[in-house]
Amino acid sequence: DESEYYASPIEVHKDLSHLHDTIVVVSSAEKSVSSTAGHERMGDHAFAQARFEQAKKNFARMKDALRAGDMLEVGKLTENEAWSLHAMMMTAPD
């Protein structure tokens, strides 16, 4: 079972069981836009609804790729998500 409110484990192909998520802090300086403010900006974005639908579809595709062991698809989806989020932040209303 999945929820929007908490993380839950998913099945991953044995060939991808070595993957881990890592966060690297490259600066201790305060960000110009906080994560909270960034999330708030997204609600007013003209493309917000389309972005939410894209994220849902990419999440489903990512789960399938992880289960199948398709590292190429995992990489494509990860890059697509990063660029999509970057574009939304760059074009968000102040």
Side-chain angles (χ1 to χ4, degrees):
D1 292 331
E2 297 159 3
S3 170
E4 295 179 16
Y5 305 110
Y6 61 90
S8 56
I10 61 169
E11 179 186 335
V12 176
H13 191 279
K14 64 180 176 73
D15 291 347
L16 300 182
S17 63
H18 67 282
L19 294 178
H20 296 278
D21 187 17
T22 302
I23 298 171
V24 178
V25 178
V26 296
S27 173
S28 61
E30 186 173 333
K31 297 187 295 184
S32 60
V33 177
S34 71
S35 296
T36 300
H39 285 281
E40 288 173 358
R41 286 183 181 183
M42 292 305 103
D44 295 330
H45 200 290
F47 303 127
Q49 194 57 46
R51 171 62 194 130
F52 299 149
E53 291 302 317
Q54 177 192 38
K56 287 179 187 178
K57 288 177 184 176
N58 280 347
F59 183 64
R61 290 175 57 199
M62 180 64 81
K63 288 190 305 183
D64 290 342
L66 289 168
R67 288 179 181 130
D70 188 346
M71 187 62 186
L72 182 59
E73 182 70 1
V74 168
K76 286 179 181 180
L77 289 166
T78 301
E79 185 172 25
N80 179 268
E81 280 294 298
W83 283 115
S84 293
L85 291 171
H86 183 73
M88 292 289 287
M89 280 301 298
M90 295 297 293
T91 59
D94 289 334

